[in-house]
């Protein structure tokens, strides 16, 4: 089945410690960068012009993916009009290759807890979220990607599995999926399901991007901390995915204990290696 | 017995539990699944801890001067009270910090001042620096090259009880300094971009001492509080 999205190769989550190197060296190891939208969105007392200027400079050399954390499509609150307007300004300015946010809620009653909170997989949530994604896509005038978040709890109210919910949501909202394979792995350990079952039930044509990241191992569960290299089990899942379904734009997310660029770059290069394994076999 | 809560009810209960980790939340026993490898309480605790740590860390990062005065424990206590009275209604964590200086005012002038200086540093860090093409070095000023004066637009100020603080960006770094009231007054009188003749008129009207003015001016140019650019190539 033909995908709704083009494979744009390998990217990286761009963070301030690496701005200078990416700007100056324009590394060949990456074809695009992803940034957190909210870090560049203007707010009342601060137009964020410095950050935006940096981003526009990088945009000259690399396509940019905008990845948000506060859209809160899962909340019963109505969409924040002001947030959407500021996001649209940024989208118009940057002309990103992709725009994404998470399948989660971040707060209710106007409050923001700045966390990606899990939703119950119910028909009520499905209807509400698909409607909200539809509003966002109409407002932005483009299709967005929704990312599966790592979760630490499940609700008794859920009527279906996360992968069933996601599959229905993607079709109903006509949006894409940002598949975070580390998040699938973290949730699979925390809730005791088979990650390959999850991955094989997703609609391949709607997957526009893949995230790989590291997590922390706690006593009996995993936490999605993005402060370690990608673990071998996640690399294994990614390799399996790539062999089964073919290449999708893929990147590394790193937010804590950020290593020097050369170290992160070697992890990014591993994505290219894994992607080329399938090509070699086919060749 | 399984009770079917709606999405809104679930979200309000979870939000309340995350924000109030010290209170019992028995109602959640019919909301969260009880499933190994960890208990539902532990599962909730992950979100409670993450919320607290994330918000406190953000405030600590944004207000290092306040933390230095209060010490870590006292800072955290204050920050927790701030979050209770000013829950974030913003898209970014940076925005959620914005009322902290004003809130600190209730504690003491010293803390208010420290928080305000921390805050103007953050605002300065978000701004764009001047394009440095044709910027004259301090030694080139007064060599007969016609120039215009451009104020450093990244500069934010805070007028404290006795001192005036300014923070601005220079080569990507944040610089903070105190200004004497007359110095600040003069700085404020300079428009964003000023011809040197206009500056001469301003100096005349302010009746400033020429030596003192020259000193001040070259300090500003050196420290990039202002820039002087060649007029013909501007
Ligand atoms: Fe992710």
């Amino acid at each position: 089945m033909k995908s709704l999205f083009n494979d744009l190769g390998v990217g990286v989550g761009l963070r301030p410690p690496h701005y200078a190197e990416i700007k100056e060296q324009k590394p060949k190891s990456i074809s695009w960068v992803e940034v957190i939208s909210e870090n560049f969105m203007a707010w009342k007392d601060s137009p964020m012009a410095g950050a935006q200027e940096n981003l526009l400079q990088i945009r000259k050399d690399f396509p940019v993916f905008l990845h948000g954390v506060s859209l809160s499509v899962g909340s019963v609150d109505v969409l924040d009009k002001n947030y959407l307007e500021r996001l649209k300004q940024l989208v118009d300015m940057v002309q990103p290759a992709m725009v994404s946010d998470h399948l989660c809620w971040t707060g209710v009653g106007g409050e923001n807890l700045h966390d990606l909170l899990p939703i119950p997989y119910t028909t009520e949530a499905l209807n509400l979220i698909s409607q909200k994604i539809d509003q966002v896509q109409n407002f932005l005038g483009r299709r967005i990607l929704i990312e599966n978040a790592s979760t630490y709890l499940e609700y008794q109210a859920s009527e279906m599995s996360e992968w069933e919910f996601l599959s229905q949501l993607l079709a109903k909202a006509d949006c894409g999926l940002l598949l975070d394979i580390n998040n699938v792995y973290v949730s699979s350990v925390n809730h005791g399901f088979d990650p390959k079952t999850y991955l094989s039930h997703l609609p391949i044509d709607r997957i526009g991007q893949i995230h790989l990241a590291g997590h922390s191992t706690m006593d009996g569960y995993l936490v999605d901390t993005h402060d370690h290299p990608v673990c071998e089990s996640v690399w294994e899942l990614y390799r399996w995915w790539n062999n089964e379904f073919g290449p999708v734009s893929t990147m590394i997310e790193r937010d804590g204990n950020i290593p020097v660029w050369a170290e992160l770059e070697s992890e990014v290069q591993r994505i290219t290696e894994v992607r080329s394994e399938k090509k070699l076999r086919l060749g | 017995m399984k009770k079917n809560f709606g999405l809104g009810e679930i979200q309000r209960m979870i939000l309340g539990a995350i924000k109030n980790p010290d209170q019992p939340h028995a109602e959640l026993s019919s909301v969260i699944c009880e499933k190994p490898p960890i208990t539902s309480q532990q599962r909730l605790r992950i979100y409670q801890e993450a919320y607290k740590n994330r918000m406190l860390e953000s405030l600590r990062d944004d207000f290092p001067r306040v933390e230095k005065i209060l010490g870590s424990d006292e800072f955290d206590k204050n920050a927790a009270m701030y979050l209770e009275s000013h829950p974030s209604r913003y898209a970014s964590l940076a925005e959620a910090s914005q009322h902290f200086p004003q809130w600190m005012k209730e504690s003491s002038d010293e803390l208010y001042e420290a928080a305000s200086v921390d805050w103007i540093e953050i605002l300065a860090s978000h701004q764009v620096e001047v394009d440095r093409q044709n910027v004259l070095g301090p030694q080139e000023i007064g060599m007969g090259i016609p120039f215009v004066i451009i104020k450093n637009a990244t500069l934010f100020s805070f007028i404290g009880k006795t001192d005036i603080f300014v923070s601005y960006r220079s080569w990507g770094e944040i610089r903070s300094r105190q200004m004497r009231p007359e110095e600040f007054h003069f700085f404020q009188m300079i428009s964003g971009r000023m011809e040197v003749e206009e500056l001469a008129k301003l100096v005349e009207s302010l009746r400033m001492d020429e030596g003192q003015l020259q000193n001040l001016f070259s300090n500003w140019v050196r420290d990039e509080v202002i820039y002087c650019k060649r007029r013909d190539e501007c």
Side-chain angles (χ1 to χ4, degrees):
Chain A
M1 198 185 293
K2 186 161 168 20
S3 176
L4 295 172
F5 303 94
N6 293 327
D7 170 25
L8 298 179
V10 178
V12 73
L14 182 63
R15 303 295 179 257
H18 302 140
Y19 280 1
E21 272 145 315
I22 303 281
K23 257 197 279 193
E24 282 152 28
Q25 295 173 13
K26 307 180 191 7
K28 294 265 183 297
S29 52
I30 51 168
S31 309
W32 49 272
V33 297
E34 184 197 80
V35 295
I36 303 298
S37 317
E38 287 79 1
N39 293 346
F40 300 88
M41 282 163 61
W43 40 281
K44 197 176 122 272
D45 288 333
S46 182
M48 300 301 279
Q52 289 177 358
E53 194 194 51
N54 256 326
L55 185 58
L56 289 177
Q57 270 183 31
I58 287 164
R59 175 73 184 83
K60 286 180 193 159
D61 298 306
F62 296 101
V64 169
F65 289 27
L66 289 179
H67 184 48
V69 291
S70 286
L71 186 60
S72 200
V73 282
S75 171
V76 290
D77 285 359
V78 292
L79 285 164
D80 179 344
K81 188 86 196 302
N82 175 266
Y83 175 87
L84 281 181
E85 275 162 6
R86 294 186 297 147
L87 177 61
K88 182 150 174 29
Q89 275 171 15
L90 186 66
V91 167
D92 289 345
M93 181 192 302
V94 175
Q95 298 290 317
M98 305 267 187
V99 177
S100 62
D101 206 295
H102 299 81
L103 175 63
C104 72
W105 60 288
T106 66
V108 69
E111 288 189 30
N112 190 352
L113 299 186
H114 299 279
D115 201 354
L116 310 173
L117 302 166
I119 49 161
Y121 305 121
T122 60
T123 311
E124 183 198 4
L126 184 66
N127 290 336
L128 177 92
I129 298 171
S130 61
Q131 223 175 54
K132 287 175 83 175
I133 293 175
D134 192 48
Q135 280 173 28
V136 175
Q137 294 187 138
N138 283 333
F139 188 81
L140 297 180
R142 60 185 297 154
R143 187 178 271 133
I144 64 166
L145 305 179
I146 287 294
E147 177 180 354
N148 59 296
S150 288
T151 62
Y152 309 101
L153 62 81
E154 290 176 319
Y155 298 104
Q156 295 175 24
S158 283
E159 298 154 8
M160 59 191 108
S161 66
E162 185 174 314
W163 56 90
E164 285 166 331
F165 185 88
L166 260 176
S167 302
Q168 288 193 40
L169 179 69
L170 299 173
K172 207 170 158 67
D174 191 18
C175 65
L177 175 65
L178 195 179
L179 172 62
D180 190 316
I181 294 188
N182 176 60
N183 288 352
V184 172
Y185 181 73
V186 165
S187 296
S188 78
V189 171
N190 293 343
H191 306 307
F193 62 78
D194 173 17
K196 285 187 182 167
T197 304
Y198 186 120
L199 294 173
S200 351
H201 281 84
L202 299 171
I204 305 307
D205 59 321
R206 290 203 175 263
I207 300 175
Q209 188 189 344
I210 290 180
H211 272 175
L212 300 176
H215 56 253
S216 297
T217 305
M218 316 304 274
D219 189 14
Y221 60 97
L222 305 180
V223 180
D224 178 34
T225 44
H226 296 186
D227 59 358
H228 287 73
V230 178
C231 79
E232 285 310 313
S233 306
V234 170
W235 278 117
E236 204 35 63
L237 273 178
Y238 179 58
R239 181 172 289 112
W240 173 83
W241 160 271
N242 195 67
N243 286 337
E244 281 299 298
F245 305 111
V248 168
S249 312
T250 305
M251 59 162 265
I252 302 277
E253 285 185 295
R254 187 72 182 252
D255 294 295
N257 296 325
I258 296 181
V260 293
W261 170 244
E263 198 180 320
L264 190 63
E265 190 178 31
S266 65
E267 225 186 349
V268 166
Q269 282 161 336
R270 195 167 166 189
I271 302 177
T272 310
E273 284 164 29
V274 173
R275 282 162 54 97
S276 62
E277 285 171 18
K278 166 121 177 173
K279 275 192 207 143
L280 275 178
R281 264 214 332 270
L282 288 173
Chain B
M1 200 179 82
K2 186 172 164 176
K3 208 171 156 186
N4 282 330
F5 291 107
L7 187 59
E9 281 173 289
I10 291 177
Q11 292 183 342
R12 283 183 283 275
M13 281 191 269
I14 294 283
L15 180 124
I18 291 175
K19 287 177 65 186
N20 303 291
D22 300 329
Q23 290 167 19
H25 296 282
E27 72 283 8
L28 287 176
S29 64
S30 40
V31 172
I32 302 173
C33 292
E34 198 61 66
K35 191 174 158 191
I38 49 173
T39 66
S40 60
Q41 298 276 348
Q42 285 173 304
R43 290 176 184 278
L44 180 62
R45 177 65 60 191
I46 297 170
Y47 288 101
Q48 290 169 327
E49 294 280 332
Y51 171 69
K52 188 177 137 202
N53 293 339
R54 179 179 304 106
M55 301 311 284
L56 292 187
E57 197 180 305
S58 166
L59 286 166
R60 258 184 245 128
D61 284 351
D62 288 348
F63 299 101
R65 287 178 177 81
V66 180
E67 192 188 2
K68 202 169 166 201
I69 296 171
L70 287 174
S72 296
D73 291 349
E74 201 54 36
F75 180 89
D76 284 2
K77 266 188 225 161
N78 276 273
M81 284 192 282
Y82 167 70
L83 289 171
E84 233 176 272
S85 60
H86 293 77
S88 172
R89 295 183 170 272
Y90 304 97
S92 75
L93 278 166
E95 284 175 275
S97 292
Q98 65 187 310
H99 306 291
F100 192 66
Q102 199 59 37
W103 189 79
M104 272 283 129
K105 200 173 186 177
E106 288 166 28
S107 301
S108 78
D109 284 341
E110 186 197 11
L111 290 167
Y112 170 53
E113 199 162 281
S116 300
V117 177
D118 284 332
W119 187 245
I120 59 172
E121 285 193 350
I122 288 173
L123 293 180
S125 74
H126 294 164
Q127 311 307 315
V128 182
E129 288 181 48
V130 71
D131 169 12
R132 284 192 172 73
Q133 244 188 357
N134 303 320
V135 165
L136 298 170
Q139 67 287 353
E140 293 171 290
I141 314 278
M143 288 174 63
I145 308 169
F147 64 88
V148 292
I149 297 120
I150 296 171
K151 259 167 112 165
N152 186 331
T154 71
L155 187 143
F156 284 79
S157 58
F158 167 71
I159 302 173
K161 241 189 169 163
T162 50
D163 297 305
I164 296 165
F165 301 87
V166 297
S167 297
Y168 59 98
R169 257 175 77 146
S170 159
W171 295 103
E173 298 283 313
I174 298 302
R175 296 196 191 185
S176 291
R177 56 186 275 170
Q178 277 163 264
M179 273 194 187
R180 284 173 287 113
E182 62 275 21
E183 186 186 359
F184 184 66
H185 178 63
F186 179 44
F187 181 78
Q188 279 186 309
M189 302 285 282
I190 297 176
S191 58
R193 180 195 179 91
M194 202 172 207
E195 298 289 331
V196 73
E197 293 81 4
E198 292 175 75
L199 179 73
K201 273 189 206 158
L202 173 66
V203 169
E204 217 179 281
S205 73
L206 290 175
R207 294 163 189 248
M208 284 179 81
D209 171 74
E210 202 171 315
Q212 186 197 356
L213 181 75
Q214 253 178 18
N215 223 338
L216 184 65
F217 213 74
S218 52
N219 281 347
W220 280 359
V221 173
R222 187 198 61 210
D223 295 345
E224 298 204 318
V225 170
I226 57 164
Y227 304 94
C228 295
K229 276 195 171 193
R230 284 170 185 274
R231 179 156 55 191
D232 48 352
E233 289 167 51
C234 215

